[in-house]
Amino acid sequence: MQIDNEDTLSKKLEIIIHWSVRTLSILMVFVIVMGVLDVGWTLYQRIITPPIYILTINDMLATFGAFMAVLIAIEIFINITIYLRDNVIHVKIVMATALMAISRKVIIIDLEQIDVMYVFAIGCVVLAMSIGYWLIHQLPRKNHIEE
C-alpha cells in the first residue's frame, strides 16, 4: 500500500513540476520580448542623443550587453523547452548558456572601474567554463545521458 501512495504522489508532483516549467517558458518568452523592445528603445535613444546618428564606444558596449542579455534569455528558453521535451537537463546547452553569460560580462566590463583580482577571477571562470565545455564535447555520446 505504501508504494502505491508514493507512486501516486510522485506522479502528482511531476505534473506540478511540468506545469511549473511550462509557466517558466511562457514567462521567459515575455522576458525575451521585453528585452528586444528594451534593446530597440535603448538603441533609438542613443542614436537620437547628440551627436545624432553616432554611437560612441560606450553606447556600443551598452548595446552589445543588452543584445547579449536577450540572447542569454533565448538560450535559457531553449534549455526550458528541451527540458520539457526530453525531461532531461542537457549539460552542453547549460554550459553554452553559461559561457555566453560570462562572455557578456567580459564584453561589457569597464576595466578602469574594476579591481585586478576581479578581472583575474573572471579570467579563471572563463578558462574553467571553456575547459568544461571542451571536455563535455570530448566525451563519447554513449558515456553520458545528457547529450
Side-chain angles (χ1 to χ4, degrees), residues 7-62:
D7 190 46
T8 303
L9 177 63
S10 293
K11 287 181 181 178
K12 288 180 181 179
L13 292 176
E14 284 180 21
I15 290 169
I16 291 170
I17 294 297
H18 185 75
W19 281 102
S20 297
V21 173
R22 283 178 178 242
T23 303
L24 283 175
S25 67
I26 291 167
L27 292 172
M28 188 54 71
V29 169
F30 176 74
V31 167
I32 291 167
V33 169
M34 295 308 292
V36 169
L37 292 175
D38 182 61
V39 169
W41 180 252
T42 301
L43 192 55
Y44 171 74
Q45 291 289 39
R46 297 198 185 258
I47 287 175
I48 64 168
T49 302
I52 297 176
Y53 303 117
I54 294 178
L55 293 175
T56 65
I57 295 297
N58 288 336
D59 293 340
M60 289 179 13
L61 289 176

Side-chain angles (χ1 to χ4, degrees), residues 10 15 31 45 53 76 83 89-91 100 112-113 121 129:
S10 293
I15 290 169
V31 167
Q45 291 289 39
Y53 303 117
I76 292 170
Y83 176 77
I89 296 174
H90 291 259
V91 175
M100 187 177 288
E112 294 176 4
Q113 303 293 326
M129 292 296 302

Side-chain angles (χ1 to χ4, degrees), residues 4-146:
D4 191 33
N5 287 340
E6 287 179 10
D7 190 46
T8 303
L9 177 63
S10 293
K11 287 181 181 178
K12 288 180 181 179
L13 292 176
E14 284 180 21
I15 290 169
I16 291 170
I17 294 297
H18 185 75
W19 281 102
S20 297
V21 173
R22 283 178 178 242
T23 303
L24 283 175
S25 67
I26 291 167
L27 292 172
M28 188 54 71
V29 169
F30 176 74
V31 167
I32 291 167
V33 169
M34 295 308 292
V36 169
L37 292 175
D38 182 61
V39 169
W41 180 252
T42 301
L43 192 55
Y44 171 74
Q45 291 289 39
R46 297 198 185 258
I47 287 175
I48 64 168
T49 302
I52 297 176
Y53 303 117
I54 294 178
L55 293 175
T56 65
I57 295 297
N58 288 336
D59 293 340
M60 289 179 13
L61 289 176
T63 305
F64 291 161
F67 269 96
M68 292 291 287
V70 172
L71 291 174
I72 291 165
I74 292 169
E75 289 292 325
I76 292 170
F77 175 77
I78 291 169
N79 289 341
I80 292 169
T81 56
I82 289 174
Y83 176 77
L84 280 171
R85 185 188 69 211
D86 299 342
N87 207 25
V88 171
I89 296 174
H90 291 259
V91 175
K92 283 183 184 179
I93 297 170
V94 172
M95 292 287 288
T97 304
L99 273 170
M100 187 177 288
I102 196 68
S103 298
R104 177 188 180 273
K105 187 68 173 173
V106 169
I107 289 169
I108 65 170
I109 199 167
D110 183 2
L111 293 175
E112 294 176 4
Q113 303 293 326
I114 301 297
D115 184 47
V116 172
M117 287 307 291
Y118 186 83
V119 174
F120 178 74
I122 292 279
C124 290
V125 170
V126 169
L127 181 63
M129 292 296 302
S130 299
I131 291 170
Y133 189 75
W134 179 79
L135 286 172
I136 287 172
H137 276 281
Q138 298 306 306
L139 291 174
R141 288 179 77 70
K142 63 182 178 180
N143 287 347
H144 55 96
I145 297 169
E146 293 83 9

